[in-house]
């Protein structure tokens, strides 16, 4: 019998636990603080930032939005990062990506103090993850693991196949599954016989950015399928990388889009901000 991995429901439940942690911190005089730097006004980024703000406010986390015009100089941005690195009331901060072309994204990411890098994108935190000493973790990958754990899905010893090798999802989720003793196969656009490889998966994570790409012949009977994609179908409707209608009846668990991984990403981010505040 197929069950949905209902990220929205999991997020709501975990919010209660996080609110409790925040109130314990407040009793000690600590208010967790998250800052987000947004450059320009691109529609999608503004929506992502607003969603983070709403959730932070719900949980009692101090949220500070630092908004620059799209023509802000790289130096101004780097100075602001330096200021946040040294501000004790800020536990973590994010520079919302993508940045305008005149700004060197790599330089900006490297300027963030790894102890405050709640996105887990800094080279130091990527390295920490791969040597099994995680500090902060990329939120989508962390959210996927939180969701699997919520449903008590066994990871150890399972065959996990990840489609997509991006720095923000595919690689970190592979490292995290490996850390939890899964046998991990990473696949990508040059993988030969992809359906043959993916149909070995007990746990299949899909993060490629192609609407309804994964069909039932990619999936083993009884597999757990996590769909990270946020795509649009031919009618412009939001959908995932997995063809849900074709695949779901074959799975034991499957995450829908929307309402699956999406809400978990912000949950994992907030969890990390609170954890950083707990370390103060
Ligand atoms: P990305 O940086 O665009 O990378 C896509 C990956 O998919 C690449 O590794 C690429 O392989 C691989 N790929 C592309 N076509 C493929 C094919 N035909 N067969 C096998 N692999 C293929 O992706 P991303 O940033 O991880 O995003 C993936 C999706 O997740 C997008 O829809 C994005 O919107 C969504 N997303 C959602 C959330 C959320 O919170 N829900 C967060 C992040 C991303 P190569 O490396 O060989 O090119």
């Amino acid at each position: 019998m197929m069950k949905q991995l209902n990220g929205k429901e999991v997020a709501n439940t975990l919010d209660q636990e996080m609110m409790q942690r925040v109130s314990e911190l407040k009793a000690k005089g600590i208010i967790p603080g998250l800052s987000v730097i947004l450059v320009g006004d691109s529609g999608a980024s503004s929506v992502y930032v607003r969603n983070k703000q709403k959730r932070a406010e719900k949980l009692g986390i101090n949220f500070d939005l630092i908004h620059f015009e799209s023509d802000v100089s790289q130096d101004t941005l780097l100075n602001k990062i330096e200021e946040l690195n040294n501000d004790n009331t800020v536990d973590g901060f994010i520079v919302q990506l993508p940045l305008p072309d005149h700004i060197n994204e790599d330089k900006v990411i490297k300027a963030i103090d790894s102890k405050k890098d709640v996105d887990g994108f800094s080279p130091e935190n990527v390295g920490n993850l791969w040597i099994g000493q995680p500090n902060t973790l990329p939120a989508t990958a962390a959210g996927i693991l939180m969701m699997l754990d919520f449903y008590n899905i066994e990871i150890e010893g399972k065959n996990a196949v990840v489609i997509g090798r991006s720095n923000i999802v595919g690689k970190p989720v592979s490292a995290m599954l490996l850390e939890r003793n899964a046998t991990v196969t990473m696949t990508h656009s040059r993988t030969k016989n992809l359906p043959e490889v993916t149909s070995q998966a007990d746990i299949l994570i899909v993060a490629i950015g192609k609407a309804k790409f994964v069909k039932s012949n990619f999936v083993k009977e009884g597999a757990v399928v996590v769909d990270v994609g946020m795509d649009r179908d031919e009618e412009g409707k939001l959908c995932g990388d997995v063809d849900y209608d074709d695949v779901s009846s074959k799975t034991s668990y499957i995450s829908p889009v929307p309402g699956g991984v999406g809400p978990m990403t912000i949950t994992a981010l907030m969890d990390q901000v609170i954890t950083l505040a707990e370390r103060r």
Side-chain angles (χ1 to χ4, degrees):
M1 187 56 184
M2 179 275 282
K3 287 196 193 125
Q4 265 200 356
L5 297 167
N6 186 334
K8 220 167 155 183
E9 209 170 272
V10 180
N12 279 334
T13 307
L14 296 181
D15 273 358
Q16 302 307 315
E17 289 172 20
M18 289 196 281
M19 280 191 251
Q20 178 61 31
R21 287 163 67 199
V22 172
S23 66
E24 282 164 21
L25 281 167
K26 285 187 176 167
K28 293 181 199 156
I30 297 170
I31 302 175
L34 169 66
S35 296
V36 175
I37 299 180
L38 176 66
V39 179
D41 260 325
S42 113
S45 288
S46 304
V47 173
Y48 295 145
V49 170
R50 227 180 3 258
N51 288 340
K52 286 169 188 165
Q53 178 162 15
K54 266 200 245 158
R55 190 74 80 79
E57 283 167 358
K58 176 181 175 193
L59 299 178
I61 293 171
N62 260 351
F63 184 92
D64 186 23
L65 173 61
I66 301 152
H67 193 182
F68 290 110
E69 296 297 324
S70 56
D71 60 356
V72 66
S73 73
Q74 181 166 298
D75 282 346
T76 307
L77 197 55
L78 291 173
N79 286 339
K80 182 45 95 176
I81 289 173
E82 190 52 28
E83 199 183 294
L84 294 173
N85 282 342
N86 294 311
D87 182 341
N88 292 333
T89 66
V90 175
D91 292 291
F93 66 96
I94 285 171
V95 179
Q96 189 69 41
L97 302 177
L99 293 169
D101 290 345
H102 69 279
I103 294 174
N104 182 334
E105 224 165 76
D106 197 39
K107 205 163 179 179
V108 166
I109 290 172
K110 285 182 179 155
I112 300 172
D113 181 341
S114 62
K115 290 191 271 324
K116 296 194 174 192
D117 162 40
V118 262
D119 258 339
F121 292 160
S122 72
E124 193 177 332
N125 283 329
V126 174
N128 286 334
L129 171 60
W130 283 99
I131 61 170
Q133 294 170 12
N135 177 30
T136 52
L137 299 164
T140 303
I144 291 169
L145 271 285
M146 285 170 102
M147 187 160 71
L148 294 176
D149 286 341
F150 186 89
Y151 287 96
N152 293 316
I153 290 168
E154 213 182 316
I155 296 173
E156 182 160 326
K158 299 291 177 191
N159 277 337
V161 177
V162 179
I163 319 183
R165 53 175 164 179
S166 68
N167 290 333
I168 65 167
V169 187
K171 283 179 192 158
V173 82
S174 299
M176 291 168 77
L177 289 164
L178 184 64
E179 196 52 35
R180 296 282 298 272
N181 298 320
T183 303
V184 181
T185 305
M186 296 172 75
T187 66
H188 45 77
S189 67
R190 318 291 163 86
T191 300
K192 301 259 188 279
N193 306 324
L194 187 61
E196 208 173 285
V197 179
T198 59
S199 53
Q200 302 298 312
D202 301 308
I203 300 172
L204 178 62
I205 314 281
V206 190
I208 56 182
K210 293 203 163 137
K212 301 186 183 179
F213 179 85
V214 168
K215 306 285 182 195
S216 65
N217 63 318
F218 283 65
V219 176
K220 180 166 100 172
E221 198 71 48
V224 175
V225 176
V226 177
D227 187 353
V228 185
M230 294 259 273
D231 313 310
R232 298 271 163 195
D233 66 13
E234 315 83 62
E235 288 146 27
K237 239 176 74 192
L238 187 62
C239 70
D241 291 343
V242 176
D243 188 338
Y244 187 94
D245 293 337
D246 192 43
V247 167
S248 59
S249 62
K250 242 181 146 177
T251 64
S252 55
Y253 288 91
I254 182 166
S255 68
V257 178
V261 173
M264 293 306 300
T265 296
I266 300 187
T267 297
L269 173 68
M270 298 302 153
D271 174 63
Q272 298 199 79
V273 174
I274 298 167
T275 302
L276 291 178
E278 287 166 344
R279 284 188 200 152
R280 259 200 229 172

